[in-house]
Amino acid sequence: MASSASNVPNHLAIIMDGNGRWARQRLLPRSAGHRKGTSTVRKIAYACSDRGVKVLTLYGFSTENWKRTGDEVGALMGLYERSVRKELGEFHRRGVQFRVIGRINEFPQRVRDILLEHVEATKSNSDLILNLALNYGGRAELVDGVRALASKVRAGEMDPDEISEEMIGRSLYTGDLPDPDLLIRTGGDMRFSNFLLWQIAYTELYVTKTLWPDFDEPALDEAFRTYGARERRFGAVGEKLR
Ligand code: IPE
Ligand code: IPE
Ligand code: MG
């Protein structure tokens, strides 16, 4: 059953966790979990587009994920490359604008090229904005933003006193996007793992034990229903408490 419009977040962010555990439960290599996870990405991205989500930000690889074995990192790189290449036609047909956030300059050239090619090819699409966070870290993003602002101050283009919350927000990779309304983490862990630290100040959090490869449309709708029943107060006294 599809969610009603008021249950649908404008900007949904997802920490896609649990691929390794999914594979281990089946005595498969971790890479098999990542492979299955990419088919969930496709399904959930299109489900979000169908439900009217405007921005979907997916955590694909953190700045800390380099700590994994070379084999696993290599398998992930290969998967991003192949799956993004495979999806381009469908992205276009559905009006998906594909973006990448993170320090992808540290990715292998081949992977970087294919990602940027797709960003360029879909930049005029205006349905769903699909933001893929790769080599992304919330702290790295703040460092990059602060560096950009500091350069402007040094160049005499700006006074330090002018720095505002809005300006910091705009200096981030997500600068032109609204903050996420809902953050879903699959796999059951109750933490943020360095994802969108600045942007989630007032984001609703939804953690499910379901592992990412098992996450499906009914699970998405359940998250949206829960989200729809929340009262977002943003620090004020809400309707139910007045
Ligand atoms: C998330 O699944 C995918 C990436 C971090 C790339 P994991 O690989 O972290 O899966 P678990 O947490 O070990 O189950
Ligand atoms: C977060 O998952 C990163 C991604 C989903 C890409 P991790 O599996 O890396 O997070 P931790 O290590 O459990 O905090
Ligand atoms: Mg994990």
Side-chain angles (χ1 to χ4, degrees):
M1 191 188 73
S3 309
S4 71
S6 64
N7 289 350
V8 175
N10 190 40
H11 182 173
L12 170 65
I14 308 183
I15 300 176
M16 311 183 288
D17 199 22
N19 293 349
R21 278 163 282 173
W22 182 92
R24 196 165 63 183
Q25 286 171 356
R26 288 159 182 78
L27 306 176
L28 295 169
R30 294 179 60 84
S31 56
H34 295 315
R35 217 169 24 250
K36 184 76 168 70
T38 57
S39 66
T40 307
V41 170
R42 179 184 322 110
K43 267 192 318 217
I44 294 302
Y46 297 141
C48 284
S49 166
D50 291 343
R51 283 158 180 72
V53 172
K54 293 282 174 260
V55 185
L56 174 64
T57 302
L58 299 174
Y59 206 3
F61 192 90
S62 75
T63 47
E64 287 73 36
N65 286 147
W66 297 107
K67 294 174 190 164
R68 300 186 178 199
T69 64
D71 275 0
E72 183 169 352
V73 171
L76 283 165
M77 299 292 155
L79 263 178
Y80 303 137
E81 190 189 335
R82 284 194 302 279
S83 43
V84 169
R85 195 190 297 273
K86 215 171 86 189
E87 282 313 298
L88 184 67
E90 187 66 11
F91 278 173
H92 256 324
R93 212 174 58 73
R94 301 224 184 198
V96 172
Q97 187 186 122
F98 178 66
R99 298 190 188 182
V100 179
I101 57 170
R103 293 180 175 169
I104 59 155
N105 55 316
E106 291 166 13
F107 266 22
Q109 175 98 39
R110 259 202 7 230
V111 184
R112 205 162 69 215
D113 286 351
I114 191 83
L115 291 169
L116 295 178
E117 198 181 297
H118 287 53
V119 170
E120 180 62 26
T122 62
K123 70 177 183 199
S124 305
N125 290 344
S126 58
D127 187 7
L128 175 76
I129 295 179
L130 173 57
N131 250 338
L132 190 56
L134 292 177
N135 198 20
Y136 173 89
R139 289 185 171 181
E141 178 183 39
L142 279 160
V143 168
D144 289 349
V146 168
R147 281 182 184 156
L149 292 177
S151 300
K152 284 192 187 161
V153 171
R154 190 177 54 188
E157 293 165 20
M158 191 173 87
D159 192 89
D161 290 341
E162 289 174 51
I163 297 176
S164 61
E165 291 189 8
E166 202 205 337
M167 207 178 271
I168 292 178
R170 266 192 279 118
S171 75
L172 304 178
Y173 309 146
T174 53
D176 63 334
L177 299 173
D179 288 341
D181 301 290
L182 175 64
L183 170 63
I184 296 176
R185 181 168 187 142
T186 61
D189 284 313
M190 299 275 189
R191 57 175 169 264
F192 298 112
S193 303
N194 203 8
F195 194 40
L196 302 174
L197 298 179
W198 175 274
Q199 298 89 330
I200 58 172
Y202 270 103
T203 299
E204 293 296 324
L205 177 62
Y206 179 87
V207 177
T208 171
K209 287 208 167 84
T210 303
L211 304 173
W212 178 248
D214 292 325
F215 194 76
D216 55 10
E217 293 194 30
L220 180 72
D221 288 329
E222 180 57 30
F224 284 1
R225 263 194 299 279
T226 304
Y227 166 75
R230 301 262 181 97
E231 187 187 31
R232 301 184 74 187
R233 291 192 287 277
F234 300 98
V237 178
E239 285 295 318
K240 293 173 192 160
L241 302 175
R242 241 189 274 269

